[in-house]
Amino acid sequence: HAEAHEEVTGDRMNWLRAGVLGANDGIVSTASLVVGVAGATTDKTQILVAGLAGLFAGAMSMASGEYVSVSSQRDAERALLAKERQELRDMPEEELEELKEIYEEKGLDEPTAREVAKQLTEHDALGAHADAELRIDPDGLTNPWGAAIASFTAFTIGALLPLAAITFTPTSLRVPVTVVAAILALALTGFVSARLSGADKRRAVVRNIAGGLIAMGVTYAIGSLVGQSIG
């Protein structure tokens, strides 16, 4: 049976990465924020206002950061492709020889490498050189808007879980329920990120949970100290 391969473009991987990171950041930052505020006060309104402010501030920050970062990457890719087009136009023989040498380095003998380079150049010179030299797909450049929207949406979804947990839970159980909800969500994002990258899933999950617990523990301690000193 033929093995099925699902094509994953650089742009798709980029928004998947942005989505997973956005969700993870939304969980950690919002859970830490509301737990910290809960350490300082039991007033549900203050906790909710702080959580909502942190949600929208964090989501906008993540989205703008992704947009700027991916835009810079896209600009760099476009500049490299423009340079490659110029070289193909001004010195096609040298570029053909360069492509042949690349395939020789991959293990092809000289006649085969030359024939492969020649046929690929005749079919799509820019695409062949962009793939072999730059690892860029000219038709699949990263989309800054896709990354920004994915990050904003994922951060918001991730942030809503700890915010809902601390808002709709009785006062005495707010912090432990929020921590447990955050741990479960972080385990999921850790698993998904490992699945996307092909990394060890257990290590990713443990690392994600450990980071979240440290963040929540530190902010809760600070909130408790501030609340006591103000009180």
Side-chain angles (χ1 to χ4, degrees), residues 63-171:
S64 62
E66 282 292 335
Y67 181 83
V68 170
S69 174
V70 176
S71 292
S72 299
Q73 178 184 342
R74 189 182 180 93
D75 291 343
E77 290 172 342
R78 284 175 169 168
L80 289 170
L81 289 173
K83 182 175 182 291
E84 198 63 40
R85 286 191 188 94
Q86 181 181 359
E87 291 175 348
L88 287 167
R89 183 182 64 247
D90 297 342
M91 42 186 188
E93 293 301 323
E94 290 85 347
E95 286 296 294
L96 180 62
E97 183 68 20
E98 183 180 27
L99 190 59
K100 183 212 71 167
E101 291 174 355
I102 289 174
Y103 285 107
E104 281 186 294
E105 292 174 358
K106 290 178 181 288
L108 298 181
D109 58 55
E110 196 275 340
T112 304
R114 183 174 295 279
E115 183 62 24
V116 169
K118 181 180 178 182
Q119 290 192 29
L120 288 174
T121 299
E122 290 174 352
H123 174 69
D124 180 5
L126 179 62
H129 283 267
D131 176 63
E133 293 181 47
L134 309 175
R135 300 292 189 271
I136 295 175
D137 179 4
D139 298 322
L141 297 183
T142 52
N143 183 353
W145 283 109
I149 293 171
S151 183
F152 180 91
T153 304
F155 185 100
T156 302
I157 294 172
L160 284 174
L161 180 61
L163 187 59
I166 206 161
T167 301
F168 298 109
T169 303
T171 303

